[in-house]
Amino acid sequence: MKTIRSGIQSLLSFVLLATLFLSMLPTPVSAAYELRLYTSSGSNTTTTSSKIRVYENNGTLYAPLRDTVKKLGYSFSGSIEDELFTYHKYTVTHNGKAAIFWGSHDMGYQIETYTVSEGSSPNNNKVYEPPMQCQQESDICQLITSKYTGPIVYDGTLYVPVRQLAEALSLKLNISKDSGKSVVSLTAPISTSM
């Protein structure tokens, strides 16, 4: 009888912890927000638009990196790197520029940009750096999760805060209202070369 009671208590504890964890994850907000992407072709004045599914977490709107990049027509690559820790690295190239989104769930994600002709270096422009607490004179660091506002992984997909995404990919960001929805528009600059 004690074994059954102990098993039920363990199951209830697991369900409670899982519920608390899931409540911290972003939730779909398609009823309140709409993300629209706009692209123009260089010689044409034709503008195409796409809608992207968005997520909201603690007042921040997130867009899926891979889906957004594909719909913008930008080059996208991803890899897994092993250094001090294993992390994911995603590189987006567009109009002679590159943006790198790299990190892990445990260490957070960093966003950097650079000009392709100059190559990546320690002097890359830092769009977002995760807040870390490091031991003195050591490479051992820990993510300060209470201050982290960068990209997150949800349902196996990397989502990036829309403002950080706009800055990293040189997109024009505009927010307006339409039929009670907040419409977030990201507009790609006209490509000078393909």
Side-chain angles (χ1 to χ4, degrees):
M1 192 63 130
K2 283 187 175 182
T3 306
I4 293 173
R5 184 176 296 141
S6 175
I8 291 172
Q9 287 175 336
S10 295
L11 179 62
L12 288 175
S13 295
F14 174 76
V15 169
L16 178 62
L17 285 173
T19 303
L20 287 172
F21 176 73
L22 290 174
S23 69
M24 294 175 9
L25 291 176
T27 54
V29 291
S30 58
Y33 293 92
E34 184 176 292
L35 178 61
R36 297 178 186 165
L37 302 175
Y38 294 95
T39 57
S40 299
S41 52
S43 59
N44 261 333
T45 55
T46 308
T47 300
T48 57
S49 69
S50 303
K51 292 181 184 177
I52 298 287
R53 185 174 182 193
V54 294
Y55 284 88
E56 188 264 343
N57 186 27
N58 294 329
T60 300
L61 192 63
Y62 292 79
L65 179 63
R66 184 183 308 253
D67 192 29
T68 302
V69 167
K70 282 184 177 180
K71 289 189 176 179
L72 288 170
Y74 293 168
S75 173
F76 178 87
S77 65
S79 63
I80 296 176
E81 307 282 336
D82 282 313
E83 289 186 7
L84 290 175
F85 62 94
T86 301
Y87 64 92
H88 293 95
K89 180 179 179 183
Y90 304 102
T91 304
V92 179
T93 54
H94 61 97
N95 298 329
K97 297 179 184 175
I100 303 171
F101 302 79
W102 65 273
S104 69
H105 173 74
D106 295 328
M107 300 300 285
Y109 284 83
Q110 182 163 311
I111 305 171
E112 301 177 5
T113 62
Y114 63 93
T115 303
V116 173
S117 63
E118 294 174 10
S120 181
S121 75
N123 298 324
N124 289 349
N125 175 49
K126 308 289 193 254
V127 174
Y128 181 79
E129 290 185 88
M132 305 296 276
Q133 182 174 355
C134 301
Q135 293 181 10
Q136 254 184 341
E137 298 180 28
S138 169
D139 288 335
I140 300 172
C141 298
Q142 184 175 5
L143 178 67
I144 304 172
T145 55
S146 62
K147 295 182 179 180
Y148 182 73
T149 58
I152 57 175
V153 175
Y154 176 69
D155 199 20
T157 299
L158 184 66
Y159 283 81
V160 181
V162 170
R163 290 187 186 279
Q164 294 172 8
L165 188 65
E167 183 179 348
L169 301 181
S170 304
L171 303 171
K172 181 181 174 189
L173 173 65
N174 185 50
I175 301 172
S176 60
K177 288 281 189 187
D178 184 11
S179 304
K181 282 187 181 181
S182 291
V183 177
V184 179
S185 301
L186 295 175
T187 306
I190 294 176
S191 175
T192 54
S193 62
M194 287 288 186

